[in-house]
Amino acid sequence: MKALIIGCTRVGSMVAVNLHSKGHSVRIMDSNPRNFLRLPEDLRDTSTVKIDAINESVFRSVGIESFDVLIAASPRDTRNIFVAQLAKHIFGMKRVICHVNDPKRYEMYQDLDLGVVGPTQFVVDAINQNIFP
């Protein structure tokens, strides 16, 4: 599988390392090159792209059509939803995952036919499962 990860945050870098360790191909894009220091050297040297903004031409330049999944994992919800919608609705990607921190946005983004993951909702669900097994 080929994954395009937007945001080399704690989440993005950990997902990249995990996928890479399982033999998948990853490309990580981030506006801050220091974030790439979270990655092991072999992954950092071959799989990173510094970008300042994401738009259609940037996606075209990395060959978005060749990727199987896009994971929007920047620390900003608005950037993640923009990137996820661009990948899903402009480029027709079938597998798009959008990391969302704000629980109010979480519900709204689910309605946009995107794979949405949110740490707040995850923690709430885990607590509820432990209270009411």
Side-chain angles (χ1 to χ4, degrees), residues 22-36:
K22 293 180 178 177
H24 299 289
S25 174
V26 296
R27 173 72 53 101
I28 307 110
M29 301 173 77
D30 198 292
S31 60
N32 185 349
R34 291 191 315 187
N35 287 344
F36 297 133

Side-chain angles (χ1 to χ4, degrees), residues 11-131:
V11 171
S13 62
M14 290 176 75
V15 169
V17 168
N18 182 42
L19 289 172
H20 181 69
S21 72
K22 293 180 178 177
H24 299 289
S25 174
V26 296
R27 173 72 53 101
I28 307 110
M29 301 173 77
D30 198 292
S31 60
N32 185 349
R34 291 191 315 187
N35 287 344
F36 297 133
L37 296 175
R38 292 183 167 110
L39 301 170
E41 258 184 68
D42 63 325
L43 192 56
R44 188 180 329 145
D45 294 340
T46 60
S47 300
T48 58
V49 178
K50 182 194 175 301
I51 46 101
D52 292 319
I54 298 184
N55 55 40
E56 288 182 49
S57 64
V58 169
F59 273 165
R60 281 188 175 71
S61 72
V62 297
I64 192 169
E65 296 87 1
S66 69
F67 289 91
D68 302 303
V69 62
L70 177 126
I71 301 159
S74 89
R76 293 180 296 221
D77 289 354
T78 52
R79 173 173 273 204
N80 290 341
I81 191 60
F82 172 75
V83 167
Q85 285 188 27
L86 188 63
K88 179 86 172 183
H89 301 293
I90 300 298
F91 289 97
M93 289 192 79
K94 295 192 185 326
R95 296 178 71 194
V96 175
I97 300 167
C98 184
H99 177 246
V100 179
N101 290 301
D102 183 342
K104 291 179 183 173
R105 290 180 176 166
Y106 179 89
E107 291 178 19
M108 180 176 66
Y109 294 171
Q110 279 186 316
D111 293 339
L112 297 174
D113 193 29
L114 301 169
V116 181
V117 270
T120 305
Q121 190 62 48
F122 178 77
V123 170
V124 169
D125 291 346
I127 290 170
N128 285 334
Q129 287 175 4
N130 282 293
I131 293 172

